[in-house]
Amino acid sequence: MSETKATAAATTSSRSSNYSVRPATEADMPQIDVIVNNEIKVSVSNFNYGPRSIEEGLAWFKSTIDGGYPILVATTLGDQQQEVVAGYSSLSSFRQKDGFRFTAEYSVYIHHEHRKRGLGRLLLKELLVEAKKRNFHAIIGSISGGNDASLFLAKEFGFRVVGTMRENGHKFDQWVDNTFVELLL
Ligand SMILES: CC(C)(COP(=O)(O)OP(=O)(O)OC[C@H]1O[C@@H](n2cnc3c(N)ncnc32)[C@H](O)[C@@H]1OP(=O)(O)O)[C@@H](O)C(=O)NCCC(=O)NCCS
C-alpha cells in the first residue's frame, strides 16, 4: 500500500492492531471469493454447494451496493507489503417485499488464517454502525447448527435468539438446523 493510501485508510477506517476496515471495492472481489469459496467447500456456514465464479461474485457486489447495502473488508499487509483481505462483512436483503425494507441480514466471513484475532468482532461492529447510518431497523442472522463462534459473536452484540428452524438446510448429505438471531437498532 502506498504511503498516501495507508494514511487515507488510517483516517477513514477503523483499525485493530494490524488490520483496517474500509468499504469493499470491486477490486477486492477475487480475495473475497477465495474466503467465501473456502467456506462453501468445508462448512455449512454457507449453503451453496459449488464455488462462486468471478462473474457471480461481481454480480453479487453490484447488486448489494446498488441495493443500498454495505460491504466492508478488513485488510492487512502481506509479506510483500501487498494489501491482503482478511475478512469481510455485509448486509443483504432479508426479504424483497416493500415492508421488509428496514430489515437486513448480515454475513461475516474471516479467512481461516486470520480467525480468533478479533476480526469478526471488528467487522460486525463496523457493519452495525453502517446499518444504523443507513436507517436499518432490524438486523437478522441465520446461524447454522454447530457454528458456536458465530452464535457467541451475535450474542456478544446483543442479538436475541429468535428460534431454531430444524433441518431447513441440507448439505454434505445431511440435514442442518439454522438458528435465527435478531438485533433491533
Ligand atoms: C464466526 C467468525 C466470523 C468469527 O470470526 P473471528 O475473527 O474468528 O472471531 P473473533 O476473533 O472476533 O472472536 C470473537 C469471539 O468469538 C469467540 N469465538 C471465536 N471463535 C470461536 C470458536 N471457534 N468457538 C467458540 N467461540 C469462538 C471468541 O470467544 C471471541 O471472543 P474472545 O476474543 O473474547 O475470546 C469466523 O469464525 C468465520 O468466519 N467463520 C466462518 C464463516 C461464518 O461462520 N460466518 C458467520 C455466518 S454469517
Side-chain angles (χ1 to χ4, degrees):
M1 195 193 287
S2 73
E3 212 176 299
T4 325
K5 210 171 157 195
T7 310
T11 51
T12 59
S13 64
S14 171
R15 296 183 74 86
S16 169
S17 58
N18 295 325
Y19 295 95
S20 299
V21 174
R22 61 165 173 77
T25 68
E26 271 190 8
D28 297 316
M29 282 313 300
Q31 292 193 75
I32 290 177
D33 286 341
V34 167
I35 296 170
V36 170
N37 285 337
N38 186 58
E39 279 314 300
I40 289 174
K41 204 162 140 191
V42 303
S43 94
V44 293
S45 63
N46 182 309
F47 277 89
N48 281 329
Y49 290 173
R52 179 162 85 181
S53 68
I54 295 281
E55 294 73 26
E56 286 165 340
L58 286 171
W60 168 80
F61 179 89
K62 190 173 173 351
S63 65
T64 302
I65 300 299
D66 289 353
Y69 300 100
I71 306 174
L72 303 176
V73 284
T75 64
T76 189
L77 289 181
D79 294 344
Q80 318 292 322
Q81 298 300 298
Q82 81 282 18
E83 196 185 34
V84 172
V85 175
Y88 83 94
S89 60
S90 63
L91 291 178
S92 59
S93 165
F94 170 65
R95 285 189 174 190
Q96 298 284 346
K97 296 201 167 68
D98 297 340
F100 288 114
R101 70 189 189 282
F102 295 112
T103 298
E105 186 166 342
Y106 79 91
S107 297
V108 184
Y109 285 79
I110 310 301
H111 188 286
H112 58 92
E113 286 170 9
H114 297 269
R115 286 188 192 159
K116 296 196 172 177
R117 298 179 190 179
L119 279 189
R121 183 181 287 130
L122 179 66
L123 277 166
L124 184 53
K125 176 172 156 257
E126 294 302 322
L127 190 69
L128 294 175
V129 170
E130 274 300 316
K132 248 187 173 154
K133 272 194 218 161
R134 290 164 196 243
N135 218 17
F136 286 108
H137 179 63
I139 305 298
I140 309 292
S142 170
I143 299 173
S144 48
N147 194 343
D148 296 340
S150 198
L151 194 58
F152 181 95
L153 198 59
K155 285 182 177 171
E156 205 179 46
F157 281 87
F159 280 83
R160 174 181 72 94
V161 173
V162 179
T164 296
M165 290 197 178
R166 292 191 54 222
E167 303 188 356
N168 69 340
H170 194 265
K171 191 170 174 182
F172 302 140
D173 290 327
Q174 58 185 11
W175 295 111
V176 184
D177 296 348
N178 274 278
T179 295
F180 283 81
V181 294
E182 179 191 42
L183 181 71
L184 297 184
L185 297 177

